[in-house]
Amino acid sequence: QVQVVQSGGGLVQPGGSLRLSCVASGSIYSINAMAWYRQAPGNDREFVGQWISSHDRSNFAESVKGRFTISRDAAQRTFYLEMNSLRPQDTAVYYCRGRIVSTELTESDYWGQGTQVTVSS
């Protein structure tokens, strides 16, 4: 079994920062990618950014480029979404999605449970 568990989030003032975490655990052979998405009320889920193992690089949506970064602790299988210069329009439920190969060598997507980020004064 593979799990992805999120933590972090909360309420922050405009211009502030938050860090979200995603921890992958279980019968993992490799983590090929870790992505973040967000969904605001009444909106579709949208892509925020991702790290891809094959390139060891991250890419981001234009709306967050230059403000958000992704880092990781490979040993702990933990990924972080660092969010800076937050704006009210960043308010949403944030989800991480791990593209993970299990020890049975099956690649699947595993979603975190979601965490609320609210940017408001």
Side-chain angles (χ1 to χ4, degrees), residues 16-21 36 48 60 64 66-72 79-86:
S17 299
L18 279 176
R19 187 176 78 167
L20 307 182
S21 302
W36 268 265
V48 174
F60 296 91
V64 306
R67 300 188 297 123
F68 290 13
T69 60
I70 294 172
S71 60
R72 68 190 182 104
F79 295 79
Y80 304 98
L81 179 67
E82 302 272 1
M83 305 183 292
N84 300 307
S85 302
L86 283 161

Side-chain angles (χ1 to χ4, degrees), residues 45-107:
R45 190 172 295 188
E46 66 171 357
F47 172 79
V48 174
Q50 68 178 344
W51 169 83
I52 300 174
S53 172
S54 59
H55 304 295
D56 195 18
R57 291 191 306 188
S58 300
N59 61 282
F60 296 91
E62 286 298 321
S63 59
V64 306
K65 197 174 290 185
R67 300 188 297 123
F68 290 13
T69 60
I70 294 172
S71 60
R72 68 190 182 104
D73 180 337
Q76 299 299 321
R77 294 173 173 166
T78 301
F79 295 79
Y80 304 98
L81 179 67
E82 302 272 1
M83 305 183 292
N84 300 307
S85 302
L86 283 161
R87 306 166 180 168
Q89 52 265 44
D90 294 318
T91 295
V93 177
Y94 284 70
Y95 299 88
C96 60
R97 185 218 67 205
R99 184 151 290 169
I100 297 171
V101 179
S102 70
T103 52
E104 297 178 349
L105 301 183
T106 300
E107 182 183 75

